[in-house]
Amino acid sequence: QVSLVESGGDSVQAGGSLRLSCVGSGYIYSGYCMGWFRQAPGQEREGVAAISTGGGITEYADSVKGRFTISRDNAKNTLYLQMSSLSPEDTAMYYCAAAPWSICKRDARRYNYWGQGTQVTVSS
């Protein structure tokens, strides 16, 4: 059974940092590209970042470029999202997702598996 479990969400002050983690199990983790998505109340889901199976190719939303870094450790079946210079606009539920391709884009329709999400709240 495929499982993606996110952790690391928290409430922080603007300007702070957080690192989200997502552990995958039940499938060949290294064969799937991965992505981070977020959704705030009343807003559409946004693709934040994506990373290829080997980790060498990444893509970011313009809103997070230069502040967020996506990475993965295939030996640990773990995906990360390092977030810095957080602002209240980053407040959302953050989800990780997996897709059976070598290279991912941030199109949610391409992803097969989703985690339950971890909440990030940034106060001013």
Side-chain angles (χ1 to χ4, degrees):
Q1 182 174 351
V2 175
S3 174
L4 293 173
V5 179
E6 304 95 335
S7 63
D10 205 346
S11 296
V12 297
Q13 295 282 332
S17 299
L18 282 175
R19 187 176 81 158
L20 305 183
S21 300
C22 169
V23 179
S25 62
Y27 68 105
I28 303 174
Y29 179 84
S30 60
Y32 281 63
C33 58
M34 304 288 292
W36 285 101
F37 295 80
R38 66 185 181 186
Q39 188 166 22
Q43 297 187 21
E44 293 187 357
R45 181 170 46 189
E46 176 188 21
V48 174
I51 188 167
S52 60
T53 52
I57 299 172
T58 57
E59 180 186 273
Y60 296 91
D62 288 343
S63 58
V64 306
K65 280 180 181 176
R67 300 187 300 120
F68 290 11
T69 301
I70 188 172
S71 63
R72 64 189 295 166
D73 184 340
N74 287 345
K76 296 182 179 179
N77 286 8
T78 303
L79 175 73
Y80 303 100
L81 185 68
Q82 179 68 49
M83 306 186 293
S84 61
S85 301
L86 286 163
S87 72
E89 289 70 34
D90 296 314
T91 295
M93 185 71 79
Y94 283 71
Y95 302 90
C96 68
W101 321 111
S102 59
I103 298 174
C104 281
K105 298 295 184 181
R106 292 174 293 110
D107 183 351
R109 296 169 297 179
R110 294 176 61 85
Y111 290 79
N112 293 48
Y113 304 120
W114 292 81
Q116 294 299 307
T118 186
Q119 178 67 40
V120 173
T121 303
V122 185
S123 58
S124 58

